[in-house]
Amino acid sequence: MTALKPNPHELIAQLRAICGPANVLTHEDPGADLSPWEQDWRKRVRGRALAVVRPGDTAQVAAVVKACAAASTPIVPQGGNTGLVVGGVPDDSGTQIVLSMTRMNAVRAIDPDNLTITVEAGCVLQNLQLAAENAGFLFPLSRGAEGSCTIGGNLGTNAGGTQVVRYGNTRELCLGLEVVTAQGEIWHGLTGLRKDNTGYDLRNLMIGSEGTLGIITAATMKLYPLPAAQLTAWAAVPSMEAAVQLLGLAHQRLGPGLTGFEVMGQFALSLVDKHYPHLRVPLWQTSPWCVLLENSDSENETHARSQFEALLEAALEAGCVSDAVVAENLTQARGLWHIRESITLAQVQEGLNIKHDISIPVSLIPAFVAETDALLALEVPGVRLVDFGHLGDGNLHYNVQAPEGADGQAFLRDFEDKVNTLVFDQVLKFKGSISAEHGVGELKVGKLPLYKDPTALAMMRAVKAALDPQNLLNPGRVLETL
Ligand code: FAD
Ligand code: 2HG
Ligand code: ZN
C-alpha cells in the first residue's frame, strides 16, 4: 500500500502546526505580500511561492523538511536574499516553499579559549561581527551586504568579501555545521575542532552547495584577535600590471598585515562619483585604476603607519603607484571603504548590467583584462566595463554595463548570452573559474556544464542524487538536472 501524498492545503496546515500559523505565509492570506521573498536582489527574476515558511528552531526545520518530503514539495532555503545569481528565490510554478531562516538568528555560544563562536544560520553577518567584537575578537568576514546577508547564506555560497586575502572565504572560517538533510534528519556537526580526519569532509561538501544538499541551521566559526591598529590607503596606479606589482610589494612588506587589496577601474569609480557625489571619490579622474589597501597590525598605529608609508614610498619609486592617500582616522578609512562598497549600488542606479565574479591566477589578470576588454569592445559597440574586485584573491567583478542610453532589457536580451560566452571562454583560456564568489544559482546553471570538468560534474551529480534523491532541495540550482 502506498501512502497518499498530502495536497498543498494539507501541507500548509501541517507547516502551520509545526511553525505556528503566523510563520507560514501564503498568497491566500488577506493582504499577503510575499515579494520580499519572491523577488531576487537584482530584480532579475520574480518567482511565486506556495508558501514562505519561517521556522524558529532546528527541530522545526527538520519537521518542515519531513512534511515537504512526504508531499514531494521542493524547498528553497533563503537567508538575507542578497544573493546575486538567483539562487534563493522560488521559481514561478507556485509549488515551491521558501524556507526563510531569518528567525533563527541567535548567537548560541562563544568559546574564547577555543577562539570560536557558534551561531544560528539566520544570524545577520554584521550581528555576528558585533557579537565577536563585544567579546573582544574579530570575525573577519566582511562585505557590502553585511547588514542583511546571513551566515547561512554566506556558508551556502561560500561567500568571499574584502578580507579574503588574509583570512580566506567563509569556508576557511568555518569549523563545524549543524545541518538538516533532505530526509529531515539532523546532522549534529557543530564541532569546534581544527583537526578531524575521520572520513569524508561533509562540512566542506555542504559549504558552497547553495542549499542543494542540506539546510544549514547553525555553524561554529573561527574568531581572531582584534588587530591593535588598522590603516587604509587609497592609491592611484597607472595600469593593471602596476596593480599586480603593488600587490607583490604589499605582500612582501606587510606580510600577514595585508588584510585587504581591492582594485577599482576608472569607469566603476566614475559611476560612484556620478550617483553619489557626496562620497568624494579620490584620485579617480587621473588614473585608469585605483587600489584600496588595508594594513592590520598587531603592534600599534605608529608601527602600522610607518610600514604603510614605507610601502607606498617604495611603490612610488618603482612607478607602480602614481599618487596615494592614507586615511588619517577611522572615519576617513570607513569613507574609503564605503566608496568601494558603493560600486554595486551605483551600477544599479546606472541600469541593468551583466555581472561576472570570475577568478584568474593573479599573474594572468593584466593580460586577461587587456585581451577581453578589446574583444568585448568589438562584440558590443559602446560597451562600458565596470571592472573592480578583490585583486588580492585573483577575483574580478568583470561587469558589463549597457552602452550609454541603451535600453537595459533590450541589452540583456540581445547581448547577455554572447557576452557571457565571450567572457567565460576567456576565463577558460586563462585557467580561471566562472564563479569565484557568488555561486552558480540559476543564472550560471546552463553554463556550468560547458566550463566545468565533466568528471567533476558527474561526481557532483552523484553526490546530489545520493543526498537528495527526490531533488527537493533548491532544484535547478547549481545542477540543471540530476
Ligand atoms: P541568500 O541570498 O538568501 O541565499 C544565497 C544562497 O544560499 C541560495 O542558494 C540559498 O538557497 C542558500 N542558502 C541561504 N541560506 C541557507 C541555509 N541556511 N542553508 C543552506 N543554504 C542556504 N558575495 C560575496 O561573496 N562577496 C562579496 O563581496 C559580496 N558583496 C555583495 C554586495 C552586495 C551589495 C550584495 C547585494 C551582495 C553581495 N554579495 C557578495 C552576494 C551575497 O551577499 C552573498 O552571496 C551572501 O553570502 C548571500 O547571503 P544571504 O543570506 O543573503 O543568502
Ligand atoms: C563586491 O565585491 C560584491 O562588492 C558584488 O561581490 C560585486 O556587484 C558586484 O558585481
Ligand atoms: Zn566581490
Side-chain angles (χ1 to χ4, degrees):
M1 213 171 70
T2 50
L4 282 180
K5 284 181 189 167
N7 66 34
H9 289 290
E10 282 167 346
L11 176 64
I12 301 289
Q14 285 176 11
L15 297 175
R16 290 200 158 124
I18 295 164
C19 297
N23 295 312
V24 178
L25 318 174
T26 71
H27 285 279
E28 280 70 50
D29 302 339
D33 175 15
L34 305 192
S35 50
W37 296 274
E38 292 177 334
Q39 172 81 73
D40 77 301
W41 192 89
R42 292 174 64 197
K43 302 205 171 17
R44 291 294 306 259
V45 165
R46 168 79 196 262
R48 185 176 171 84
L50 173 65
V52 173
V53 182
R54 305 173 67 232
D57 61 32
T58 305
Q60 289 182 11
V61 175
V64 166
V65 173
K66 279 194 172 137
C68 288
S72 303
T73 295
I75 300 169
V76 180
Q78 190 182 89
N81 197 15
T82 66
L84 299 172
V85 290
V86 190
V89 288
D91 68 13
D92 59 7
S93 64
T95 61
Q96 304 186 327
I97 71 148
V98 172
L99 190 70
S100 169
M101 300 299 290
T102 52
R103 283 182 67 225
M104 290 184 62
N105 55 19
V107 175
R108 286 193 189 164
I110 295 181
D111 183 340
D113 291 339
N114 199 40
L115 287 171
T116 51
I117 183 167
T118 298
V119 292
E120 291 182 344
C123 182
V124 167
L125 175 55
Q126 201 167 55
N127 294 340
L128 173 42
Q129 294 165 347
L130 280 175
E133 201 178 318
N134 290 339
F137 295 102
L138 171 74
F139 180 64
L141 195 64
S142 174
R143 78 180 61 99
E146 64 198 22
S148 41
C149 68
T150 64
I151 194 67
N154 300 161
L155 288 157
T157 56
N158 185 29
T162 49
Q163 295 200 317
V164 173
V165 66
R166 163 71 175 90
Y167 299 102
N169 285 320
T170 313
R171 170 172 281 130
E172 277 82 49
L173 297 172
C174 180
L175 293 174
L177 288 180
E178 179 185 88
V179 173
V180 170
T181 69
Q183 293 70 35
E185 303 303 328
I186 301 172
W187 168 37
H188 299 280
L190 279 181
T191 159
L193 300 176
R194 282 169 170 78
K195 291 187 157 185
D196 177 7
N197 281 348
T198 53
Y200 305 141
D201 192 340
L202 300 174
R203 176 191 68 209
N204 277 334
L205 190 57
M206 290 293 162
I207 298 173
S209 67
E210 301 183 42
T212 63
L213 298 180
I215 292 153
I216 296 166
T217 49
T220 299
M221 309 299 295
K222 291 182 191 169
L223 294 174
Y224 287 83
L226 279 167
Q230 208 165 42
L231 289 187
T232 302
W234 184 284
V237 298
S239 63
M240 188 57 105
E241 283 83 356
V244 170
Q245 198 188 342
L246 176 61
L247 174 64
L249 272 182
H251 274 308
Q252 247 176 37
R253 300 261 175 158
L254 306 179
L258 180 66
T259 49
F261 195 99
E262 299 285 312
V263 74
M264 298 152 290
Q266 192 172 39
F267 182 65
L269 291 176
S270 80
L271 289 184
V272 178
D273 180 71
K274 175 176 169 187
H275 296 290
Y276 307 108
H278 62 284
L279 294 183
R280 295 200 297 200
V281 182
L283 307 180
W284 70 274
Q285 270 150 323
T286 50
S287 183
W289 299 95
C290 286
V291 168
L292 187 58
L293 302 100
E294 187 180 74
N295 181 16
S296 300
D297 196 285
S298 55
E299 292 188 25
N300 55 47
E301 179 159 343
T302 315
H303 181 253
R305 202 168 281 280
S306 66
Q307 253 194 337
F308 230 177
E309 283 167 3
L311 163 68
L312 291 170
E313 262 166 43
L316 280 161
E317 217 162 274
C320 58
V321 162
S322 53
D323 202 354
V325 289
V326 180
E328 287 297 326
N329 51 45
L330 203 61
T331 313
Q332 280 184 9
R334 286 204 179 118
L336 294 176
W337 276 106
H338 188 52
I339 293 168
R340 156 64 183 89
E341 302 297 10
S342 299
I343 297 175
T344 301
L345 292 169
Q347 267 209 279
V348 174
Q349 299 296 325
E350 188 67 10
L352 290 172
N353 57 74
I354 304 169
K355 282 191 186 295
H356 301 111
D357 62 306
I358 56 178
S359 57
I360 308 274
V362 171
S363 47
L364 301 181
I365 283 185
F368 170 87
V369 169
E371 211 180 290
T372 314
D373 282 7
L375 290 171
L376 272 172
L378 289 177
E379 183 79 30
V380 190
V383 71
R384 300 181 298 164
L385 296 171
V386 183
D387 290 356
F388 64 105
H390 320 287
L391 185 63
D393 322 323
N395 170 193
L396 270 194
H397 295 302
Y398 191 79
N399 294 348
V400 181
Q401 195 87 34
E404 181 96 51
D407 173 63
Q409 289 294 355
F411 170 68
L412 290 185
R413 188 193 59 224
D414 298 341
F415 287 106
E416 184 163 26
D417 195 56
K418 276 188 212 163
V419 165
N420 284 341
T421 301
L422 189 155
V423 172
F424 293 162
D425 284 354
Q426 285 290 101
V427 166
L428 195 66
K429 179 176 162 190
F430 282 86
K431 304 184 191 323
S433 163
I434 66 167
S435 177
E437 281 200 318
H438 302 158
V440 178
E442 191 172 299
L443 282 187
K444 291 178 214 139
V445 77
K447 294 286 182 204
L448 197 65
L450 306 174
Y451 298 97
K452 184 102 185 163
D453 178 280
T455 307
L457 259 185
M459 287 194 281
M460 282 168 60
R461 283 204 185 90
V463 168
K464 171 73 175 170
L467 295 188
D468 181 18
Q470 284 199 83
N471 195 17
L472 292 181
L473 295 183
N474 219 357
R477 274 73 196 260
V478 183
L479 295 167
E480 233 162 352
T481 53
L482 274 193

